[in-house]
Amino acid sequence: MDNLNQFITWSMLANYSMFVSIVFVLVQVIKELPKIKDVPTRLISIAIAFVLQILVNLQSGNFQMFDIVLYLISAIIISLTANGAHDATIKIKTE
């Protein structure tokens, strides 16, 4: 990594655990924004994961319109994983 632009790369987002981590961090950063604050966090994380799924597939040249359903299913699974990691962290903090 010779510059800061390569801190996070598209190829890193092809890795499941990295994708989940990025969704987790993005949700934590934007969930308190004024217009987003009233939206349930689970919906925010699904939306972020879905948009990132589309962007990663567009960037890699693998985007197919008929795969949108698969992107949404993947986004839901990624969102549940990211939310579970957050819930587990909160549980550990409170114990």
Side-chain angles (χ1 to χ4, degrees):
M1 288 191 213
D2 52 358
N3 64 41
L4 198 53
N5 290 337
Q6 293 178 344
F7 182 69
I8 296 175
T9 63
W10 288 109
S11 63
M12 291 170 72
L13 287 174
N15 176 300
Y16 179 77
S17 59
M18 188 64 175
F19 199 105
V20 169
S21 299
I22 296 298
V23 169
F24 175 82
V25 169
L26 289 175
V27 168
Q28 295 309 308
V29 170
I30 72 165
K31 72 179 186 179
E32 295 298 322
L33 293 175
K35 295 193 183 216
I36 297 177
K37 206 171 194 174
D38 295 333
V39 177
T41 305
R42 295 188 189 283
L43 294 180
I44 295 169
S45 66
I46 290 170
I48 289 172
F50 185 59
V51 169
L52 281 177
Q53 275 281 336
I54 291 171
L55 292 174
V56 166
N57 282 287
L58 281 169
Q59 194 279 333
S60 68
N62 294 326
F63 180 83
Q64 298 291 324
M65 194 61 151
F66 57 84
D67 285 342
I68 291 285
V69 173
L70 297 177
Y71 303 153
L72 181 58
I73 292 168
S74 295
I76 291 169
I77 293 168
I78 289 164
S79 169
L80 288 172
T81 306
N83 293 337
H86 179 264
D87 294 346
T89 304
I90 296 300
K91 186 176 180 181
I92 290 170
K93 280 185 177 180
T94 58
E95 289 180 353

